[in-house]
Short mmCIF file of all heavy atoms in Angstrom, two decimals:
data_model
loop_
_atom_site.label_atom_id
_atom_site.label_comp_id
_atom_site.label_asym_id
_atom_site.label_seq_id
_atom_site.Cartn_x
_atom_site.Cartn_y
_atom_site.Cartn_z
N ARG A 93 109.48 -222.30 -32.98
CA ARG A 93 108.74 -221.77 -31.83
C ARG A 93 107.32 -221.34 -32.16
O ARG A 93 106.51 -221.13 -31.26
CB ARG A 93 109.50 -220.56 -31.27
CG ARG A 93 110.92 -220.87 -30.80
CD ARG A 93 110.90 -221.62 -29.49
NE ARG A 93 110.27 -220.82 -28.47
CZ ARG A 93 110.90 -219.91 -27.73
NH1 ARG A 93 112.18 -219.70 -27.91
NH2 ARG A 93 110.25 -219.23 -26.79
N GLY A 94 107.02 -221.18 -33.46
CA GLY A 94 105.72 -220.65 -33.83
C GLY A 94 105.77 -219.13 -33.88
O GLY A 94 106.61 -218.50 -33.24
N SER A 95 104.88 -218.53 -34.64
CA SER A 95 104.87 -217.08 -34.80
C SER A 95 103.48 -216.60 -35.10
O SER A 95 102.67 -217.31 -35.71
CB SER A 95 105.82 -216.67 -35.94
OG SER A 95 105.71 -215.29 -36.22
N ILE A 96 103.18 -215.36 -34.69
CA ILE A 96 101.88 -214.77 -34.99
C ILE A 96 101.79 -214.35 -36.45
O ILE A 96 100.72 -214.00 -36.92
CB ILE A 96 101.60 -213.57 -34.08
CG1 ILE A 96 102.63 -212.46 -34.31
CG2 ILE A 96 101.54 -213.98 -32.63
CD1 ILE A 96 102.30 -211.17 -33.59
N TYR A 97 102.91 -214.38 -37.17
CA TYR A 97 102.93 -213.98 -38.58
C TYR A 97 102.95 -215.20 -39.50
O TYR A 97 103.41 -215.09 -40.64
CB TYR A 97 104.16 -213.11 -38.87
CG TYR A 97 104.37 -212.00 -37.89
CD1 TYR A 97 105.27 -212.13 -36.84
CD2 TYR A 97 103.66 -210.81 -38.01
CE1 TYR A 97 105.47 -211.11 -35.93
CE2 TYR A 97 103.86 -209.78 -37.10
CZ TYR A 97 104.76 -209.93 -36.05
OH TYR A 97 104.95 -208.92 -35.16
N GLY A 98 102.47 -216.33 -39.02
CA GLY A 98 102.57 -217.56 -39.80
C GLY A 98 102.02 -217.46 -41.19
O GLY A 98 102.65 -217.86 -42.17
N THR A 99 100.81 -216.89 -41.34
CA THR A 99 100.19 -216.76 -42.65
C THR A 99 100.95 -215.78 -43.53
O THR A 99 101.14 -216.01 -44.73
CB THR A 99 98.73 -216.30 -42.50
OG1 THR A 99 98.01 -217.26 -41.71
CG2 THR A 99 98.06 -216.18 -43.86
N VAL A 100 101.41 -214.68 -42.93
CA VAL A 100 102.09 -213.65 -43.70
C VAL A 100 103.41 -214.15 -44.28
O VAL A 100 103.74 -213.88 -45.43
CB VAL A 100 102.34 -212.40 -42.82
CG1 VAL A 100 103.07 -211.32 -43.60
CG2 VAL A 100 101.02 -211.87 -42.28
N VAL A 101 104.16 -214.90 -43.48
CA VAL A 101 105.49 -215.35 -43.93
C VAL A 101 105.42 -216.66 -44.69
O VAL A 101 106.44 -217.12 -45.21
CB VAL A 101 106.46 -215.48 -42.73
CG1 VAL A 101 106.59 -214.15 -42.02
CG2 VAL A 101 106.01 -216.57 -41.76
N GLY A 102 104.24 -217.29 -44.75
CA GLY A 102 104.10 -218.50 -45.53
C GLY A 102 104.36 -219.78 -44.77
O GLY A 102 104.60 -220.83 -45.37
N LEU A 103 104.32 -219.73 -43.43
CA LEU A 103 104.54 -220.94 -42.65
C LEU A 103 103.32 -221.84 -42.65
O LEU A 103 103.44 -223.05 -42.47
CB LEU A 103 104.88 -220.57 -41.20
CG LEU A 103 106.31 -220.11 -40.94
CD1 LEU A 103 106.45 -219.62 -39.51
CD2 LEU A 103 107.29 -221.25 -41.20
N ASN A 104 102.14 -221.30 -42.84
CA ASN A 104 100.92 -222.09 -42.87
C ASN A 104 99.97 -221.50 -43.89
O ASN A 104 100.04 -220.32 -44.22
CB ASN A 104 100.25 -222.12 -41.48
CG ASN A 104 100.04 -220.72 -40.93
OD1 ASN A 104 101.01 -220.00 -40.79
ND2 ASN A 104 98.81 -220.37 -40.63
N PRO A 105 99.07 -222.31 -44.43
CA PRO A 105 98.17 -221.83 -45.49
C PRO A 105 97.21 -220.79 -44.98
O PRO A 105 96.98 -220.65 -43.79
CB PRO A 105 97.44 -223.11 -45.92
CG PRO A 105 97.53 -224.02 -44.74
CD PRO A 105 98.86 -223.73 -44.11
N GLU A 106 96.65 -220.03 -45.91
CA GLU A 106 95.69 -218.97 -45.58
C GLU A 106 94.52 -219.55 -44.80
O GLU A 106 93.94 -220.57 -45.17
CB GLU A 106 95.17 -218.33 -46.86
CG GLU A 106 94.30 -217.12 -46.63
CD GLU A 106 95.13 -215.94 -46.15
OE1 GLU A 106 96.32 -215.88 -46.50
OE2 GLU A 106 94.57 -215.10 -45.42
N GLY A 107 94.21 -218.88 -43.69
CA GLY A 107 93.07 -219.31 -42.89
C GLY A 107 93.47 -220.21 -41.75
O GLY A 107 92.73 -220.36 -40.79
N ALA A 108 94.67 -220.87 -41.84
CA ALA A 108 95.11 -221.70 -40.73
C ALA A 108 95.69 -220.81 -39.66
O ALA A 108 96.02 -219.67 -39.87
CB ALA A 108 96.14 -222.71 -41.22
N THR A 109 95.89 -221.37 -38.48
CA THR A 109 96.42 -220.59 -37.38
C THR A 109 97.74 -221.14 -36.94
O THR A 109 97.99 -222.34 -37.03
CB THR A 109 95.44 -220.61 -36.18
OG1 THR A 109 95.26 -221.97 -35.76
CG2 THR A 109 94.11 -220.00 -36.55
N THR A 110 98.59 -220.26 -36.48
CA THR A 110 99.87 -220.67 -35.93
C THR A 110 99.92 -220.20 -34.50
O THR A 110 100.02 -219.02 -34.22
CB THR A 110 101.05 -220.03 -36.70
OG1 THR A 110 100.97 -220.45 -38.05
CG2 THR A 110 102.38 -220.46 -36.12
N LYS A 111 99.84 -221.14 -33.56
CA LYS A 111 99.82 -220.76 -32.16
C LYS A 111 101.26 -220.62 -31.66
O LYS A 111 102.14 -221.37 -32.03
CB LYS A 111 99.08 -221.81 -31.32
CG LYS A 111 97.59 -221.75 -31.55
CD LYS A 111 96.86 -222.55 -30.51
CE LYS A 111 95.36 -222.41 -30.66
NZ LYS A 111 94.63 -223.15 -29.64
N ARG A 112 101.41 -219.66 -30.79
CA ARG A 112 102.71 -219.40 -30.22
C ARG A 112 102.60 -219.57 -28.72
O ARG A 112 101.63 -219.15 -28.10
CB ARG A 112 103.16 -217.97 -30.56
CG ARG A 112 104.55 -217.65 -30.11
CD ARG A 112 104.99 -216.32 -30.72
NE ARG A 112 106.29 -215.95 -30.21
CZ ARG A 112 106.47 -215.21 -29.14
NH1 ARG A 112 105.43 -214.76 -28.48
NH2 ARG A 112 107.69 -214.90 -28.73
N SER A 113 103.59 -220.20 -28.14
CA SER A 113 103.55 -220.44 -26.70
C SER A 113 103.51 -219.14 -25.93
O SER A 113 104.32 -218.25 -26.12
CB SER A 113 104.79 -221.23 -26.28
OG SER A 113 104.84 -221.36 -24.88
N THR A 114 102.56 -219.02 -25.03
CA THR A 114 102.48 -217.87 -24.14
C THR A 114 102.35 -218.41 -22.72
O THR A 114 101.27 -218.45 -22.16
CB THR A 114 101.27 -216.99 -24.49
OG1 THR A 114 100.10 -217.80 -24.47
CG2 THR A 114 101.39 -216.37 -25.87
#
Side-chain angles (χ1 to χ4, degrees):
R93 300 285 299 274
S95 173
I96 62 172
Y97 311 99
T99 301
V100 179
V101 301
L103 281 173
N104 52 302
E106 187 72 28
T109 60
T110 300
K111 287 193 175 181
R112 185 169 175 268
S113 174
T114 55

